[in-house]
Amino acid sequence: MNSTQRVIQALGHSNPDRHPFFLLLTLHGARLLGMSPEKYFSRADFVADGQTRLNERFGHDCLYAFYHAALEGLAWGCPVEFRSDGPPVTTRPAAVGAGAIRSLECPSVRNDPGLSKALETISILKGRFGDSVPIVGVAISPFSLPVMQVGFEAYLDMIFEDRDLFWDLMDKNTAYTSEWAAAQLEAGATAICYFDPVASPSIIPRETYIETGWEVARKTLSLIPGPTATHMASGRALPILDDLVATKTAAVGVSCLEKLAELRARANGKIAIIGNLNGVEMCRWTPAEAAEITRRTLESAGPAGGFILSDNHGEIPFHVSFEVLDAIASAARSFIPGRNAGPNSAAPSDPGEAD
Amino acid sequence: MPDVNQLPSAVAELESAFVAMNSSEAEKILKKSMDRFGLLKMTDSLLAPALEKIGEAWQKGELSLAQVYMSGRIAEKITLKFTNSIKSQHSGHYRLGMTVFEDFHTLGKTIVLSILCAGGYPVIDLGQGRTIDELVSETAERNLDALFVSVLMHRSALRIENLVAALRSAGLKTRLVVGGAPFLFDRLLWTRVGADEMGANASDALGIAARLSGKGSSQ
């Protein structure tokens, strides 16, 4: 079974040979190639080479075409600052004030230098790997993009105090995001990770989400001509799991703050679960700890099918060592559900739980 | 003599008003308390406990960050309306600063500033994206007793260790209080980077400010 077959079986809630695992790595590619982040992201083939080498080293079940969140912010007009030891960040909103927000114009997906570079990376990876390893593209949801476009505080004020302006912005964002996602699929991406942290009840009350982000998700996802997974980027998902199912997304990226067993039970074959290793804590794990936590997480995930092991944020921090990643990969590859029970096999401990 | 024992039930009512983002109801509850018990008692026994409960509820996953943000915003607006400016209701002239360190995600700072101001602690806003050299300079010039630092990016959280070292090398004894997502996902991180205190939610800032300034717990 190759990675694509394994992932398709998992998303289809069938019976893959083992749980697939995704190491959602970005800057580690730069490290492998001995480049600064700024240099690494300056060329499509550098990122493609980084993902290729990462896949060769760890044998995980995806290629991750995600550059960084600021790529989309930059396309919308946010200034960006690069760092030598972390992802680039946007330093200011693109638009301040209702007038500027109404005047925001959608970037041209094909002509934007950053977005078109990412499309080229996808094409290169498709040429190298064909259909053997899924290529995951990323699109920030129309509902979460305004955090960069207008600033988080201004966005929350907009959601609660100026719904007309909110919907005006959502119309533009929906057109943009669906075009961006479609372009990635056309370039060779297998599926789109729909990043939607603002949807999480960690950020917004469920009742507000239903009136706003849920409607946006239903519309946007219906316009994307391919499979999607919605990612909460460390935010909780359990209270809105049924709502996410109703958006027809195939999977959800879940937080280490919630119990995997509970998520799996609630998902009940209706939506696949992706998660939920704690990427921040991962920075201080020893390889032995990483292997043990990986094993316990896979145990708590239950039978194969409907689950993909991953970190809980959708991007593993730059400071996680290669040795820890090797240990996670090794543990994930060797774990066969039902055959690797630990000491408490009747009631596996769920490491994905906050204190 | 007004019965301060009535305040605990008012805390629950105020909390509900904040969570529902009902600004007028919150103002009514706070004004009633202020008229009966005075500004300081209202702040310490009603406003602060209500905000702390909201922070705890967020931490448990019972409330959203948006509700914490709006609660802080409403509380700050009402307090400013009552007082025209945030005078320190807590004597001792303990000087507090707040910043986002090498990071530009400002929501956490905004929430903590609102809550501290509403709680009667004037805070100097040192802005965002500040570097180590800038913060050492500002801390010294403003003679800060405590610096509250908010970060969202993991890389910025790790660099706080360098900030602490720079402050101590400069001979500054300023207490460093940290908060933000990286510290929630790794509960040992704040000790490893050498911070003095960590806020698990924005409302923790009130208790920390009270403790550091020698006023004890605000509860």
Side-chain angles (χ1 to χ4, degrees), chain A residues 253-272:
Chain A
V254 299
S255 174
C256 61
L257 297 174
E258 293 177 319
K259 292 187 186 185
L260 208 48
E262 199 176 340
L263 285 157
R264 289 273 277 154
R266 184 84 70 85
N268 196 25
K270 294 175 290 190
I271 191 168

Side-chain angles (χ1 to χ4, degrees), chain A residues 85 153 157 161 202-203 278, chain B residues 65 69 73 106 110 155 185:
Chain A
D85 56 354
E153 296 93 304
D157 292 342
E161 295 170 353
S202 298
I203 304 297
N278 185 332
Chain B
L65 194 62
Y69 164 69
R73 232 190 64 168
T106 58
T110 300
R155 171 248 178 219
F185 285 92

Side-chain angles (χ1 to χ4, degrees), chain B residues 8-71:
Chain B
S9 65
V11 170
E13 288 167 19
L14 181 60
E15 189 189 343
S16 295
F18 279 147
V19 166
M21 300 180 201
N22 190 336
S23 184
S24 57
E25 181 63 21
E27 185 174 341
K28 203 162 72 178
I29 296 167
L30 287 167
K31 184 149 194 334
K32 187 175 167 185
S33 167
M34 189 174 72
D35 289 344
R36 294 183 74 186
F37 302 114
L39 179 63
L40 186 58
K41 196 72 188 169
M42 177 275 279
T43 304
D44 283 357
S45 301
L46 176 55
L47 181 55
L51 291 174
E52 281 163 353
K53 280 186 173 300
I54 286 169
E56 285 160 14
W58 173 76
Q59 216 176 314
K60 288 184 213 165
E62 294 164 5
L63 288 177
S64 69
L65 194 62
Q67 287 163 305
V68 178
Y69 164 69
M70 293 301 279
S71 300

Side-chain angles (χ1 to χ4, degrees), chain A residues 83 85 89-91 152-153 156-157 160-161 201-205 234 236 256 278 280-281 283-284 319, chain B residues 21 58-59 61 64-67 69-70 73 102 104 106-107 110 153-155 158 182 185-186 188 192:
Chain A
R83 302 272 162 74
D85 56 354
V89 291
T90 56
T91 60
F152 214 154
E153 296 93 304
L156 290 176
D157 292 342
F160 291 106
E161 295 170 353
S202 298
I203 304 297
I204 209 108
S234 306
R236 296 173 197 270
C256 61
N278 185 332
V280 175
E281 269 193 7
C283 297
R284 61 171 169 84
H319 295 88
Chain B
M21 300 180 201
W58 173 76
Q59 216 176 314
S64 69
L65 194 62
Q67 287 163 305
Y69 164 69
M70 293 301 279
R73 232 190 64 168
E102 293 190 349
F104 295 88
T106 58
L107 181 61
T110 300
M153 305 297 285
H154 180 253
R155 171 248 178 219
L158 293 177
F185 285 92
D186 183 353
L188 299 181
R192 288 172 49 228

Side-chain angles (χ1 to χ4, degrees), chain A residues 1-22 61 134 250-252 264 267-274 303-309 337:
Chain A
M1 200 176 269
N2 65 28
S3 289
T4 299
Q5 292 164 336
R6 185 174 297 118
V7 170
I8 288 173
Q9 292 270 316
L11 292 178
H13 305 273
S14 301
N15 196 19
D17 54 348
R18 57 168 170 80
H19 291 302
F21 72 105
F22 287 175
D61 292 302
V252 55
R264 289 273 277 154
N268 196 25
K270 294 175 290 190
I271 191 168
I273 301 293
I274 302 174
F307 176 71
I308 297 173
L309 178 74

